[in-house]
Amino acid sequence: MSRFLMSPKSAEPLRVRHRLVHDALILAALDPDVRAIEAAPVEIAGTPAPVDVIVLGRTDGRFVLDVPEAHPRDLDAAGLALLAIESLNLPTLSFPAPDIRRQPRWSNAVLVWDARAVRVPVDARVQVLAALAEAGTLTLHEAAQATGLVRGPVSAVLALACADLLAIDLDDGPLGPETRVRRIPSREDAR
């Protein structure tokens, strides 16, 4: 069963055949160190290979995403996948299932990702980003207050994380008022 995942870090929807790869991509989409997610078209002996290879562009380089539990069980398909990955000549970044499902990160990521379709008024976005530019980091409660919204201010902040505009600490405990939020430098700032 194929799923599609869209993120501001990918130029087009990514077709994903395995649930764990999909879930690893949600974590990558919310990871401020991941700057790009792309499907790598792979050819073997001049023929397009029928495998999904995802490349993560991180602040420390480009890596092929490897989810060991998603490896093909069929020997021919597994060999084809290995040849495809080797043809890219990139290091792999392994995301085993226990790392993907590690708590509280996974539960927090699901809560954040569920807000990805929330529409954030431009005024609220500007106010949150300005507050973060001034303070450096805010709590989730402070960032929600900075939106100026009466309805759904926390969901708006979570949606901004899905839009790759800010980072939310997913690892330090369940999401709550004290969860840390920081601005992600824009690609222009990084130059």
Side-chain angles (χ1 to χ4, degrees), residues 68-89:
E69 293 83 358
H71 290 181
R73 297 184 193 277
D74 174 82
L75 287 178
D76 289 336
L80 188 60
L82 282 174
L83 286 172
I85 290 169
E86 284 179 15
S87 75
L88 293 173
N89 199 28

PDB file of all heavy atoms in Angstrom, residues 68-89:
ATOM      1  N   PRO A  68      15.717  -0.210   8.364  1.00  0.00           N
ATOM      2  CA  PRO A  68      15.995  -1.647   8.204  1.00  0.00           C
ATOM      3  C   PRO A  68      14.745  -2.524   8.140  1.00  0.00           C
ATOM      4  O   PRO A  68      14.699  -3.470   7.354  1.00  0.00           O
ATOM      5  CB  PRO A  68      16.844  -1.989   9.434  1.00  0.00           C
ATOM      6  CG  PRO A  68      17.503  -0.701   9.798  1.00  0.00           C
ATOM      7  CD  PRO A  68      16.498   0.376   9.465  1.00  0.00           C
ATOM      8  N   GLU A  69      13.740  -2.210   8.935  1.00  0.00           N
ATOM      9  CA  GLU A  69      12.529  -3.037   8.948  1.00  0.00           C
ATOM     10  C   GLU A  69      11.719  -2.914   7.656  1.00  0.00           C
ATOM     11  O   GLU A  69      10.818  -3.709   7.417  1.00  0.00           O
ATOM     12  CB  GLU A  69      11.637  -2.653  10.141  1.00  0.00           C
ATOM     13  CG  GLU A  69      12.237  -2.997  11.499  1.00  0.00           C
ATOM     14  CD  GLU A  69      13.225  -1.951  12.009  1.00  0.00           C
ATOM     15  OE1 GLU A  69      13.503  -0.959  11.304  1.00  0.00           O
ATOM     16  OE2 GLU A  69      13.741  -2.146  13.116  1.00  0.00           O
ATOM     17  N   ALA A  70      12.048  -1.934   6.828  1.00  0.00           N
ATOM     18  CA  ALA A  70      11.333  -1.749   5.558  1.00  0.00           C
ATOM     19  C   ALA A  70      12.066  -2.387   4.384  1.00  0.00           C
ATOM     20  O   ALA A  70      11.593  -2.303   3.256  1.00  0.00           O
ATOM     21  CB  ALA A  70      11.136  -0.256   5.289  1.00  0.00           C
ATOM     22  N   HIS A  71      13.197  -3.033   4.637  1.00  0.00           N
ATOM     23  CA  HIS A  71      13.930  -3.683   3.546  1.00  0.00           C
ATOM     24  C   HIS A  71      13.063  -4.759   2.902  1.00  0.00           C
ATOM     25  O   HIS A  71      12.322  -5.457   3.596  1.00  0.00           O
ATOM     26  CB  HIS A  71      15.218  -4.318   4.064  1.00  0.00           C
ATOM     27  CG  HIS A  71      16.251  -3.330   4.466  1.00  0.00           C
ATOM     28  ND1 HIS A  71      17.473  -3.703   4.936  1.00  0.00           N
ATOM     29  CD2 HIS A  71      16.264  -1.970   4.471  1.00  0.00           C
ATOM     30  CE1 HIS A  71      18.198  -2.631   5.225  1.00  0.00           C
ATOM     31  NE2 HIS A  71      17.469  -1.568   4.958  1.00  0.00           N
ATOM     32  N   PRO A  72      13.158  -4.909   1.588  1.00  0.00           N
ATOM     33  CA  PRO A  72      12.377  -5.957   0.913  1.00  0.00           C
ATOM     34  C   PRO A  72      12.752  -7.343   1.427  1.00  0.00           C
ATOM     35  O   PRO A  72      13.917  -7.614   1.718  1.00  0.00           O
ATOM     36  CB  PRO A  72      12.774  -5.814  -0.559  1.00  0.00           C
ATOM     37  CG  PRO A  72      13.413  -4.477  -0.684  1.00  0.00           C
ATOM     38  CD  PRO A  72      13.962  -4.137   0.671  1.00  0.00           C
ATOM     39  N   ARG A  73      11.755  -8.195   1.540  1.00  0.00           N
ATOM     40  CA  ARG A  73      12.000  -9.566   2.009  1.00  0.00           C
ATOM     41  C   ARG A  73      12.426 -10.479   0.858  1.00  0.00           C
ATOM     42  O   ARG A  73      13.107 -11.460   1.064  1.00  0.00           O
ATOM     43  CB  ARG A  73      10.754 -10.116   2.688  1.00  0.00           C
ATOM     44  CG  ARG A  73      10.388  -9.322   3.929  1.00  0.00           C
ATOM     45  CD  ARG A  73       9.210  -9.937   4.646  1.00  0.00           C
ATOM     46  NE  ARG A  73       8.663  -9.049   5.645  1.00  0.00           N
ATOM     47  CZ  ARG A  73       9.144  -8.924   6.873  1.00  0.00           C
ATOM     48  NH1 ARG A  73      10.176  -9.634   7.250  1.00  0.00           N
ATOM     49  NH2 ARG A  73       8.582  -8.103   7.728  1.00  0.00           N
ATOM     50  N   ASP A  74      12.013 -10.149  -0.334  1.00  0.00           N
ATOM     51  CA  ASP A  74      12.375 -10.909  -1.519  1.00  0.00           C
ATOM     52  C   ASP A  74      13.845 -10.643  -1.838  1.00  0.00           C
ATOM     53  O   ASP A  74      14.276  -9.489  -1.888  1.00  0.00           O
ATOM     54  CB  ASP A  74      11.460 -10.469  -2.673  1.00  0.00           C
ATOM     55  CG  ASP A  74      11.865 -11.105  -3.983  1.00  0.00           C
ATOM     56  OD1 ASP A  74      11.469 -12.254  -4.217  1.00  0.00           O
ATOM     57  OD2 ASP A  74      12.579 -10.427  -4.758  1.00  0.00           O
ATOM     58  N   LEU A  75      14.627 -11.697  -2.054  1.00  0.00           N
ATOM     59  CA  LEU A  75      16.071 -11.549  -2.285  1.00  0.00           C
ATOM     60  C   LEU A  75      16.381 -10.726  -3.526  1.00  0.00           C
ATOM     61  O   LEU A  75      17.303  -9.918  -3.528  1.00  0.00           O
ATOM     62  CB  LEU A  75      16.747 -12.914  -2.364  1.00  0.00           C
ATOM     63  CG  LEU A  75      16.895 -13.651  -1.039  1.00  0.00           C
ATOM     64  CD1 LEU A  75      17.548 -15.013  -1.256  1.00  0.00           C
ATOM     65  CD2 LEU A  75      17.706 -12.841  -0.052  1.00  0.00           C
ATOM     66  N   ASP A  76      15.624 -10.913  -4.595  1.00  0.00           N
ATOM     67  CA  ASP A  76      15.861 -10.138  -5.816  1.00  0.00           C
ATOM     68  C   ASP A  76      15.593  -8.652  -5.578  1.00  0.00           C
ATOM     69  O   ASP A  76      16.374  -7.794  -5.984  1.00  0.00           O
ATOM     70  CB  ASP A  76      14.989 -10.640  -6.968  1.00  0.00           C
ATOM     71  CG  ASP A  76      15.445 -12.008  -7.481  1.00  0.00           C
ATOM     72  OD1 ASP A  76      16.642 -12.345  -7.286  1.00  0.00           O
ATOM     73  OD2 ASP A  76      14.610 -12.713  -8.068  1.00  0.00           O
ATOM     74  N   ALA A  77      14.491  -8.360  -4.909  1.00  0.00           N
ATOM     75  CA  ALA A  77      14.149  -6.963  -4.621  1.00  0.00           C
ATOM     76  C   ALA A  77      15.158  -6.348  -3.658  1.00  0.00           C
ATOM     77  O   ALA A  77      15.550  -5.181  -3.804  1.00  0.00           O
ATOM     78  CB  ALA A  77      12.739  -6.864  -4.052  1.00  0.00           C
ATOM     79  N   ALA A  78      15.605  -7.119  -2.678  1.00  0.00           N
ATOM     80  CA  ALA A  78      16.592  -6.616  -1.722  1.00  0.00           C
ATOM     81  C   ALA A  78      17.911  -6.314  -2.434  1.00  0.00           C
ATOM     82  O   ALA A  78      18.547  -5.284  -2.173  1.00  0.00           O
ATOM     83  CB  ALA A  78      16.809  -7.633  -0.598  1.00  0.00           C
ATOM     84  N   GLY A  79      18.317  -7.189  -3.332  1.00  0.00           N
ATOM     85  CA  GLY A  79      19.544  -6.955  -4.095  1.00  0.00           C
ATOM     86  C   GLY A  79      19.431  -5.732  -4.975  1.00  0.00           C
ATOM     87  O   GLY A  79      20.370  -4.936  -5.080  1.00  0.00           O
ATOM     88  N   LEU A  80      18.279  -5.561  -5.596  1.00  0.00           N
ATOM     89  CA  LEU A  80      18.037  -4.397  -6.440  1.00  0.00           C
ATOM     90  C   LEU A  80      18.092  -3.114  -5.613  1.00  0.00           C
ATOM     91  O   LEU A  80      18.690  -2.114  -6.027  1.00  0.00           O
ATOM     92  CB  LEU A  80      16.681  -4.534  -7.131  1.00  0.00           C
ATOM     93  CG  LEU A  80      16.342  -3.501  -8.187  1.00  0.00           C
ATOM     94  CD1 LEU A  80      17.365  -3.540  -9.317  1.00  0.00           C
ATOM     95  CD2 LEU A  80      14.948  -3.760  -8.734  1.00  0.00           C
ATOM     96  N   ALA A  81      17.505  -3.150  -4.428  1.00  0.00           N
ATOM     97  CA  ALA A  81      17.532  -1.977  -3.542  1.00  0.00           C
ATOM     98  C   ALA A  81      18.964  -1.640  -3.139  1.00  0.00           C
ATOM     99  O   ALA A  81      19.362  -0.469  -3.145  1.00  0.00           O
ATOM    100  CB  ALA A  81      16.668  -2.226  -2.312  1.00  0.00           C
ATOM    101  N   LEU A  82      19.756  -2.649  -2.819  1.00  0.00           N
ATOM    102  CA  LEU A  82      21.165  -2.403  -2.450  1.00  0.00           C
ATOM    103  C   LEU A  82      21.946  -1.806  -3.618  1.00  0.00           C
ATOM    104  O   LEU A  82      22.739  -0.879  -3.432  1.00  0.00           O
ATOM    105  CB  LEU A  82      21.826  -3.697  -1.977  1.00  0.00           C
ATOM    106  CG  LEU A  82      21.488  -4.130  -0.562  1.00  0.00           C
ATOM    107  CD1 LEU A  82      22.082  -5.506  -0.272  1.00  0.00           C
ATOM    108  CD2 LEU A  82      21.988  -3.113   0.443  1.00  0.00           C
ATOM    109  N   LEU A  83      21.735  -2.332  -4.812  1.00  0.00           N
ATOM    110  CA  LEU A  83      22.406  -1.766  -5.991  1.00  0.00           C
ATOM    111  C   LEU A  83      21.993  -0.319  -6.224  1.00  0.00           C
ATOM    112  O   LEU A  83      22.822   0.531  -6.547  1.00  0.00           O
ATOM    113  CB  LEU A  83      22.081  -2.597  -7.238  1.00  0.00           C
ATOM    114  CG  LEU A  83      22.771  -3.952  -7.356  1.00  0.00           C
ATOM    115  CD1 LEU A  83      22.194  -4.730  -8.531  1.00  0.00           C
ATOM    116  CD2 LEU A  83      24.270  -3.767  -7.515  1.00  0.00           C
ATOM    117  N   ALA A  84      20.704  -0.039  -6.033  1.00  0.00           N
ATOM    118  CA  ALA A  84      20.200   1.323  -6.223  1.00  0.00           C
ATOM    119  C   ALA A  84      20.855   2.281  -5.231  1.00  0.00           C
ATOM    120  O   ALA A  84      21.312   3.370  -5.605  1.00  0.00           O
ATOM    121  CB  ALA A  84      18.686   1.348  -6.074  1.00  0.00           C
ATOM    122  N   ILE A  85      20.933   1.874  -3.980  1.00  0.00           N
ATOM    123  CA  ILE A  85      21.545   2.726  -2.945  1.00  0.00           C
ATOM    124  C   ILE A  85      23.026   2.922  -3.232  1.00  0.00           C
ATOM    125  O   ILE A  85      23.539   4.039  -3.156  1.00  0.00           O
ATOM    126  CB  ILE A  85      21.297   2.125  -1.550  1.00  0.00           C
ATOM    127  CG1 ILE A  85      19.811   2.267  -1.199  1.00  0.00           C
ATOM    128  CG2 ILE A  85      22.167   2.793  -0.501  1.00  0.00           C
ATOM    129  CD1 ILE A  85      19.378   1.495   0.025  1.00  0.00           C
ATOM    130  N   GLU A  86      23.710   1.850  -3.589  1.00  0.00           N
ATOM    131  CA  GLU A  86      25.144   1.961  -3.897  1.00  0.00           C
ATOM    132  C   GLU A  86      25.399   2.884  -5.082  1.00  0.00           C
ATOM    133  O   GLU A  86      26.399   3.601  -5.122  1.00  0.00           O
ATOM    134  CB  GLU A  86      25.740   0.581  -4.167  1.00  0.00           C
ATOM    135  CG  GLU A  86      25.959  -0.240  -2.913  1.00  0.00           C
ATOM    136  CD  GLU A  86      26.523  -1.619  -3.213  1.00  0.00           C
ATOM    137  OE1 GLU A  86      27.005  -1.849  -4.348  1.00  0.00           O
ATOM    138  OE2 GLU A  86      26.469  -2.463  -2.314  1.00  0.00           O
ATOM    139  N   SER A  87      24.488   2.902  -6.049  1.00  0.00           N
ATOM    140  CA  SER A  87      24.682   3.731  -7.239  1.00  0.00           C
ATOM    141  C   SER A  87      24.668   5.224  -6.905  1.00  0.00           C
ATOM    142  O   SER A  87      25.215   6.027  -7.651  1.00  0.00           O
ATOM    143  CB  SER A  87      23.617   3.419  -8.297  1.00  0.00           C
ATOM    144  OG  SER A  87      22.365   3.972  -7.931  1.00  0.00           O
ATOM    145  N   LEU A  88      24.072   5.591  -5.796  1.00  0.00           N
ATOM    146  CA  LEU A  88      24.022   7.000  -5.401  1.00  0.00           C
ATOM    147  C   LEU A  88      25.325   7.470  -4.757  1.00  0.00           C
ATOM    148  O   LEU A  88      25.586   8.665  -4.657  1.00  0.00           O
ATOM    149  CB  LEU A  88      22.857   7.246  -4.436  1.00  0.00           C
ATOM    150  CG  LEU A  88      21.475   7.073  -5.036  1.00  0.00           C
ATOM    151  CD1 LEU A  88      20.411   7.166  -3.957  1.00  0.00           C
ATOM    152  CD2 LEU A  88      21.235   8.112  -6.117  1.00  0.00           C
ATOM    153  N   ASN A  89      26.110   6.516  -4.263  1.00  0.00           N
ATOM    154  CA  ASN A  89      27.404   6.827  -3.645  1.00  0.00           C
ATOM    155  C   ASN A  89      27.255   7.841  -2.499  1.00  0.00           C
ATOM    156  O   ASN A  89      28.018   8.805  -2.401  1.00  0.00           O
ATOM    157  CB  ASN A  89      28.397   7.330  -4.701  1.00  0.00           C
ATOM    158  CG  ASN A  89      29.829   7.210  -4.214  1.00  0.00           C
ATOM    159  OD1 ASN A  89      30.141   6.344  -3.401  1.00  0.00           O
ATOM    160  ND2 ASN A  89      30.689   8.094  -4.688  1.00  0.00           N
TER     161      ASN A  89
END
